[in-house]
Amino acid sequence: MRGGAGEKLHHKEANVAHGSAAVYGGAGKGAAKSSSFLYGLFLYVVLPVLVLYFVVIAASQFYNPRCSPEGNVVMAGHFMVAKPNVSLNASSSVPPPPAPAAKARVTAEEAPTGLRHIVFGIGASASLWRSRKEYIKLWWRPGRMRGFVWMDRPVQEFYSKSSRTGLPAIMVSSDTSKFPYTHGAGSRSALRISRIVSETFRLGLPGVRWFVMGDDDTVFLPENLVHVLSQYDHRQPYYIGSPSESHIQNLIFSYGMAFGGGGFAISRALAEELAKMQDGCLHRYPALYGSDDRIHACMSELGVPLTRHPGFHQCDLWGDVLGLLGAHPVAPLVTLHHLDFLEPVFPSTPSRAGALRRLFDGPVRLDSAAVAQQSVCYDRAHQWTVSVSWGFAVMVVRGVLSPREMETPMRSFLNWYKRADYTAYSFNTRPVARQPCQKPHVYYMRGSRMERRRNVTVTEYERHRVKHPACRWRIADPGALLDHIVVHKKPDPDLWKRSPRRNCCRVVSSPKKGKDRSMTIDVGVCRDGEFAKWWGGLGEELAVAREDVTSARSIFESDVIKMFSPFGKITAEDSLWHTRGPKRGEPRGYAFVQYTTKEFSPLPPEGSMQEAQLAKEKMNGKLVCGRPMVVHLASEKSSLDSSDSHRALKDKKVTGGSAIRSAQSDRAAKIAAIKNKLKSLEEEGCSTKRPRLTPNVLTGTKEHSHKKFWSF
């Protein structure tokens, strides 16, 4: 029993032990599952949350503007210590990060000037708005530019959103009836337009650095304007613009005034000062004519001079702007004004705005910095001078003209004042052609595109077909060989970040008779040692350009004055010109020079020799252009006189004493004979003077209202 019981007990204990083992074994598996679950939870949930938490805390030092620099250093030190290979101590060369708020302000202030920093104030009139708004649409970029058109009264666009009209917002100027205006010929609208900058400043627009003023017929090239203004500190008082192209206009108003139609820019610092004092300033100048001279008067009181920039153009001109844009100054083209008084920039386009649209859709979009920038090169095979005004026109001239001459604007236009001659411009000009054979053949830009593969712009130019005068030169006529010009040029947005310099051009291929009637030109930054190389001096240039028998007579007024001025003060110089026939416009080969005094003032060894007599002694027989020059007094007969003179000389040899007595006739009779000679020359088709108002009128002229200018 005891054995059985013991055996039974042992069996029971064994079962209990086995049961315990089973229970404990089950608990071990559960613990393993629990620990793996916790490990996974920590690995996939808790740890990522902790990592994200620490990342957020680490980044908070850069985004929390309330953190102090000391707190930033402690936080940075805390996370740097976690890396054993990095230490942070007081002598560390790593500077503490700057305060976030200060860093944000500096970045915004030091950001380069862009379109967002400029606000435009455009003076307009409701009566002209229908046509003038087309000019604004050419250059205005909705959503990228800020500005307002200031009207005298509401127009239709005043009630529409500017995003729908594609125009700046319309504003109505405040009442100016309290300001006196006493000028007899002007308009009171000058008062409200002069206040546009001040009224725009008072709107309180954020981030404005420059206030730019213009008229509703002023066209801006925005990228070029940004470049110009970015060169100046808007925190300083700046008044930037340009005077008029008319010398008389500047004499009337001032060379120190920025003409408002051509556009001007006022820095924020100066606009703030102007807004404070302008109303009082306007009361002090009631007799002034326009808005821009009122601005100038206030600037004079503030003591801020005009900072001139040649890219702003008032365009106080009439007619064809080819001469101005074809030889634009080496500076970015910024504005054009008075477009209603100029012919379309591309003659084949009847609409002025349409012609400018071609310019803006092509060259301005592709390479705004290079628009109308001139390059001069030579086609040696044909002896042609080539002038490229990129994106606008190419001019090809027979013969060799120096770069110095080509960079001088030719007078394809006339002065703002009807009775003013070519001396009334505020810049140097030259005749369209020194003689008819050199009237330029003009090729206007027809189309433009970008070759993405080579990153090259391709502009194509088509010949403008107008009648040219007959010419007997042996130099090939561009009009007979060349119809089409292609210009390749890489975009150069950094053009004006370098020192000003004209680009160089190279004639890659030129036309061949009966085959290709096109020319290819490459334009770009001048290579090392490259320049606009031409051959020969003045004598050679004239010889190349005048290869026919008229070469000895192709001397012009400026040449005569230059040669004869050393012998005394010249008061008059008259040349004879062909006015009819195939030589119309060419010099006849005669000139008359008149001196001031009878005696030669410096009293050289010749003593009291008359100025004219001294000039005769020194210049008679001197070689000019390879031929001897004949100089004689106006009261004397010349060997070059007509057959009447030769007959008179023959009679002198035959009649002996009677001829001698005839030679001793009084001076009055001789002068009368000269007058008769001049009259006979005029009847043959000569003129003793060139027309005063049309110094360019050699040939190919046309009548345009009350003015005459070259036809291109």
Side-chain angles (χ1 to χ4, degrees):
M1 289 287 300
R2 187 177 296 173
E7 184 178 354
K8 191 179 291 186
L9 180 61
H10 176 74
H11 180 72
K12 186 177 179 179
E13 288 175 356
N15 289 338
V16 172
H18 178 75
S20 298
V23 171
Y24 289 137
K29 290 182 179 181
K33 291 181 179 180
S34 177
S35 62
S36 63
F37 172 77
L38 292 175
Y39 179 78
L41 181 66
F42 177 81
L43 181 63
Y44 294 106
V45 179
V46 177
L47 187 60
V49 171
L50 289 175
V51 171
L52 180 62
Y53 173 77
F54 287 124
V55 169
V56 171
I57 293 178
S60 65
Q61 60 178 319
F62 301 105
Y63 291 96
N64 187 359
R66 292 175 294 180
C67 291
S68 64
E70 294 80 4
N72 288 337
V73 173
V74 171
M75 186 66 70
H78 175 78
F79 286 104
M80 285 182 173
V81 170
K83 296 183 179 181
N85 59 339
V86 179
S87 62
L88 181 67
N89 49 54
S91 62
S92 174
S93 61
V94 180
K103 180 178 179 181
R105 285 196 299 270
V106 169
T107 301
E109 185 65 25
E110 293 182 352
T113 296
L115 282 175
R116 66 185 182 279
H117 298 119
I118 300 173
V119 61
F120 291 85
I122 303 169
S125 169
S127 59
L128 298 173
W129 177 242
R130 184 174 182 180
S131 60
R132 295 286 181 85
K133 66 183 178 182
E134 298 303 320
Y135 292 128
I136 302 176
K137 290 180 179 179
L138 291 172
W139 58 273
W140 185 256
R141 297 171 187 176
R144 296 182 54 194
M145 302 171 69
R146 293 189 290 178
F148 306 94
V149 176
W150 293 87
M151 289 282 188
D152 50 350
R153 55 185 172 83
V155 293
Q156 181 179 357
E157 288 79 4
F158 178 77
Y159 305 101
S160 303
K161 292 183 178 180
S162 57
S163 58
R164 295 180 180 177
T165 62
L167 293 163
I170 307 296
M171 302 285 284
V172 177
S173 299
S174 59
D175 182 29
T176 58
S177 59
K178 64 179 180 179
F179 299 104
Y181 187 88
T182 60
H183 194 284
S187 170
R188 287 189 60 88
S189 62
L191 292 169
R192 72 171 186 86
I193 293 176
S194 66
R195 299 180 74 245
I196 285 178
V197 172
S198 296
E199 290 196 80
T200 305
F201 175 82
R202 294 190 184 104
L203 295 176
L205 300 178
V208 178
R209 297 182 181 180
W210 294 94
F211 295 84
V212 175
M213 172 71 187
D215 284 356
D216 50 5
D217 61 339
T218 303
V219 169
F220 290 88
L221 276 71
E223 284 79 10
N224 294 355
L225 175 65
V226 167
H227 168 77
V228 170
L229 298 182
S230 65
Q231 295 178 318
Y232 302 95
D233 186 356
H234 63 280
R235 295 166 294 189
Q236 301 295 323
Y238 276 107
Y239 169 48
I240 304 173
S242 180
S244 170
E245 290 82 2
S246 169
H247 175 57
I248 301 175
Q249 283 280 90
N250 292 324
L251 288 178
I252 295 173
F253 295 103
S254 175
Y255 271 98
M257 183 186 86
F259 279 66
F264 60 84
I266 293 178
S267 63
R268 182 179 183 86
L270 183 56
E272 184 174 2
E273 295 299 320
L274 179 65
K276 295 176 183 176
M277 55 84 67
Q278 188 178 20
D279 286 357
C281 177
L282 293 179
H283 279 280
R284 291 188 286 275
Y285 299 98
L288 294 180
Y289 173 77
S291 60
D292 37 16
D293 50 349
R294 282 175 166 77
I295 292 283
H296 177 231
C298 298
M299 293 300 167
S300 298
E301 291 191 0
L302 290 169
V304 179
L306 173 65
T307 299
R308 299 186 188 183
H309 191 279
F312 294 83
H313 295 286
Q314 173 75 4
C315 291
D316 281 338
L317 307 166
W318 295 85
D320 192 351
V321 77
L322 171 68
L324 181 64
L325 292 183
H328 192 271
V330 186
L333 173 64
V334 179
T335 67
L336 291 171
H337 178 52
H338 274 151
L339 297 168
D340 285 344
F341 300 98
L342 299 170
E343 294 181 353
V345 293
F346 298 115
S348 60
T349 307
S351 166
R352 293 176 174 88
L356 287 169
R357 175 67 66 187
R358 185 194 304 180
L359 190 70
F360 273 80
D361 288 347
V364 174
R365 176 179 54 85
L366 295 176
D367 191 1
S368 179
V371 171
Q373 291 306 302
Q374 185 187 28
S375 301
V376 179
C377 51
Y378 300 92
D379 185 343
R380 289 169 94 51
H382 296 96
Q383 295 182 349
W384 293 341
T385 301
V386 180
S387 175
V388 179
S389 178
W390 188 84
F392 171 57
V394 178
M395 287 181 282
V396 182
V397 183
R398 280 181 176 180
V400 180
L401 301 181
S402 69
R404 183 174 183 267
E405 184 170 356
M406 295 303 296
E407 71 181 6
T408 304
M410 62 183 185
R411 294 187 290 270
S412 64
F413 43 79
L414 288 175
N415 197 276
W416 191 247
Y417 290 89
K418 301 177 183 179
R419 311 185 88 175
D421 63 9
Y422 67 92
T423 64
Y425 298 108
S426 62
F427 52 94
N428 290 332
T429 62
R430 64 181 174 91
V432 170
R434 293 187 297 180
Q435 68 110 334
C437 288
Q438 287 187 310
K439 180 183 176 182
H441 292 258
V442 184
Y443 299 76
Y444 285 102
M445 197 274 297
R446 183 188 65 180
S448 58
R449 67 181 189 277
M450 171 70 76
E451 282 193 5
R452 301 293 179 185
R453 182 175 57 85
R454 295 191 300 153
N455 190 32
V456 169
T457 62
V458 180
T459 48
E460 300 179 0
Y461 305 79
E462 202 73 21
R463 180 163 68 94
H464 185 51
R465 300 179 181 274
V466 295
K467 186 178 180 180
H468 276 249
C471 179
R472 295 186 296 167
W473 285 0
R474 291 194 296 270
I475 300 177
D477 180 14
L481 297 178
L482 182 60
D483 293 332
H484 184 71
I485 297 177
V486 179
V487 177
H488 295 168
K489 179 186 177 300
K490 288 190 175 182
D492 191 2
D494 296 331
L495 175 63
W496 302 114
K497 295 181 181 178
R498 303 186 294 270
S499 61
R501 184 183 180 184
R502 283 202 315 263
N503 278 337
C504 289
C505 66
R506 308 111 194 164
V507 177
V508 178
S509 66
S510 56
K512 296 180 180 179
K513 189 173 182 180
K515 295 183 180 179
D516 187 13
R517 298 180 61 86
S518 66
M519 173 186 287
T520 303
I521 301 174
D522 179 68
V523 173
V525 177
C526 297
R527 303 160 185 160
D528 290 341
E530 186 180 13
F531 55 94
K533 184 177 181 180
W534 63 296
W535 59 98
L538 178 61
E540 285 187 65
E541 175 193 348
L542 294 175
V544 169
R546 301 165 179 85
E547 293 179 337
D548 58 350
V549 297
T550 66
S551 61
R553 295 196 294 263
S554 299
I555 305 299
F556 296 87
E557 294 100 324
S558 58
D559 303 317
V560 173
I561 293 173
K562 185 176 180 180
M563 288 187 292
F564 284 86
S565 59
F567 307 105
K569 186 176 181 180
I570 297 176
T571 59
E573 190 279 336
D574 295 332
S575 295
L576 303 181
W577 302 80
H578 290 280
T579 59
R580 292 192 294 270
K583 293 184 180 181
R584 180 173 179 261
E586 295 185 26
R588 187 147 183 104
Y590 294 93
F592 293 87
V593 178
Q594 181 177 345
Y595 290 95
T596 54
T597 60
K598 296 180 180 180
E599 305 297 327
F600 185 66
S601 52
L603 293 179
E606 289 80 1
S608 60
M609 183 181 296
Q610 293 184 2
E611 292 177 341
Q613 182 65 31
L614 179 62
K616 172 188 172 182
E617 294 291 336
K618 295 295 184 181
M619 299 300 292
N620 187 36
K622 185 174 181 179
L623 291 178
V624 178
C625 298
R627 296 196 179 191
M629 182 166 51
V630 177
V631 181
H632 62 92
L633 299 179
S635 58
E636 298 176 348
K637 294 291 184 180
S638 168
S639 61
L640 294 181
D641 281 345
S642 64
S643 58
D644 293 338
S645 299
H646 290 287
R647 284 195 297 269
L649 181 60
K650 182 177 180 181
D651 293 341
K652 177 181 177 181
K653 293 180 180 180
V654 172
T655 59
S658 61
I660 295 175
R661 288 191 299 272
S662 176
Q664 294 175 346
S665 60
D666 62 320
R667 186 168 181 269
K670 294 179 180 180
I671 294 176
I674 293 295
K675 289 182 178 180
N676 291 333
K677 175 63 177 176
L678 292 177
K679 184 177 180 180
S680 65
L681 289 175
E682 290 177 357
E683 291 174 354
E684 292 175 7
C686 298
S687 174
T688 60
K689 289 186 178 181
R690 301 175 77 179
R692 178 172 178 79
L693 282 180
T694 55
N696 302 327
V697 180
L698 302 177
T699 185
T701 58
K702 69 177 182 180
E703 197 74 26
H704 180 75
S705 67
H706 59 274
K707 298 178 177 288
K708 292 181 180 179
F709 46 86
W710 279 78
S711 172
F712 288 101

